[in-house]
C-alpha cells in the first residue's frame, strides 16, 4: 500500500455534486474574504472526506455477520423488527451502530443472501443515538434471506442531521457479505436484527468498521 492511499480515499459518486457545490461556494467566499475562503476550503475537504468510499476486506470465514456501518455500537437489546418487513412479531437481538458526521457513510450488507424485501417508511428526525429513533425516524428496511432460509434485517435510520437515505439495491438481488448496499447523508444509524438464537459478540461503545468488524457468528463454535 502506498503512503498516499492511507490519506486519500476514493469518493463515492453520490458525493460529487455536494463537493462541487461546496467548492463553488468556497470560490465565492474567497471573493468576500480570504478568512471565509479558507473556512470554505476546510468544509469542502470535510465534504469529500464524508463521502469517502474505501475498500474493505471482509473476513474470509463463513457464517459471520459484519457491521453494516462505520461507527460506535450504541444499543444492544431485544426488539421486534420493523412491521413493514412482514417478519414474525417476535423480539430479536438488535445491534445499533451510530454514525457521526465524521464516519464513512457507505453501508454494507452484514451477510450473504438475497434481498427478500425492501420497505421505506417516512418519519421524524430525532437524534439517531436515541432508542426512539428506531421507531419514529425515517427509515429504510431490508430483509435478507440467507442460504439456510433464515432472515436477517438491516435498517437504515435517518438522524438529526441526516435527511436522505439512499439504497442501491432492489428486491431479488443477491449480495455477498460486505457488499455496498446504500448510504445515508450526514449522520445517522444502522440497526441489525440478528436471527433468533444468534448472540452478538460486540460490546456497547465498541468501534465498528463496515464490512470488516464481526458483530456475530451464525454458527457457534463447538467445544471439544
Amino acid at each position: 500500500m502506498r503512503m498516499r492511499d492511507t490519506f486519500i480515499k476514493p469518493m463515492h459518486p453520490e458525493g460529487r455534486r455536494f463537493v462541487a457545490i461546496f467548492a463553488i461556494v468556497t470560490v465565492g467566499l474567497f471573493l468576500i474574504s480570504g478568512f471565509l475562503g479558507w473556512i470554505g476550503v476546510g468544509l469542502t475537504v470535510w465534504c469529500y472526506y464524508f463521502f469517502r468510499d474505501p475498500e474493505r476486506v471482509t473476513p474470509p470465514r463463513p457464517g459471520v455477520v459484519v457491521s453494516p456501518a462505520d461507527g460506535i455500537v450504541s444499543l444492544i437489546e431485544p426488539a421486534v423488527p420493523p412491521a413493514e418487513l412482514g417478519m414474525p412479531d417476535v423480539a430479536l437481538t438488535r445491534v445499533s451502530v451510530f454514525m457521526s458526521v465524521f464516519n464513512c457513510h457507505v453501508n454494507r450488507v452484514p451477510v450473504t443472501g438475497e434481498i427478500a424485501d425492501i420497505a421505506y417508511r417516512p418519519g421524524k428526525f430525532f437524534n439517531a443515538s436515541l432508542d426512539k429513533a428506531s421507531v419514529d425516524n425515517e427509515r429504510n428496511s431490508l430483509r435478507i434471506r440467507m442460504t439456510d432460509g433464515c432472515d436477517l434485517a438491516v435498517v437504515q435510520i435517518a438522524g438529526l442531521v441526516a435527511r436522505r437515505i439512499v439504497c442501491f439495491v432492489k428486491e431479488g438481488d443477491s449480495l455477498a457479505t460486505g457488499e455496498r448496499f446504500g448510504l445515508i447523508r450526514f449522520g445517522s444509524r444502522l440497526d441489525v436484527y440478528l436471527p433468533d438464537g444468534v448472540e452478538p459478540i460486540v460490546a456497547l461503545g465498541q468501534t465498528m468498521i463496515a464490512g470488516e468488524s464481526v458483530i456475530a457468528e451464525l454458527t457457534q463454535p463447538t467445544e471439544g
Side-chain angles (χ1 to χ4, degrees), residues 11-12 20 27 40 46 57 73 80-81 99 101 114-115 120 127 143 156 168 171 175 178 203 205 209 215 220:
M11 182 176 65
H12 194 276
V27 172
W46 168 80
V57 180
V73 177
V80 177
M99 299 183 289
V101 294
E114 179 181 316
I115 306 300
Y120 169 79
N127 187 325
R143 177 164 56 93
Q156 298 170 288
F168 309 140
E171 292 179 16
L175 301 175
I209 299 176
I215 289 178
Q220 300 299 321

Side-chain angles (χ1 to χ4, degrees), residues 97-149:
V97 180
F98 175 73
M99 299 183 289
S100 77
V101 294
F102 299 105
N103 289 124
C104 173
H105 274 56
V106 175
N107 305 143
R108 297 172 180 265
V109 291
V111 293
T112 295
E114 179 181 316
I115 306 300
D117 197 9
I118 299 177
Y120 169 79
R121 200 206 72 169
K124 300 177 181 179
F125 297 96
F126 292 121
N127 187 325
S129 65
L130 300 177
D131 183 46
K132 64 179 179 179
S134 292
V135 177
D136 296 327
N137 281 23
E138 176 180 325
R139 67 188 182 219
N140 187 62
S141 306
L142 284 74
R143 177 164 56 93
I144 303 173
R145 176 69 48 81
M146 296 179 287
T147 54
D148 63 359

Side-chain angles (χ1 to χ4, degrees), residues 12 14-15 50-51 105-107 156 164-168 181-186:
H12 194 276
E14 278 282 324
F50 176 88
F51 285 103
H105 274 56
V106 175
N107 305 143
Q156 298 170 288
R164 181 76 170 99
I165 296 174
V166 182
C167 185
F168 309 140
F181 79 88
L183 179 150
I184 312 179
R185 292 206 285 259
F186 305 119

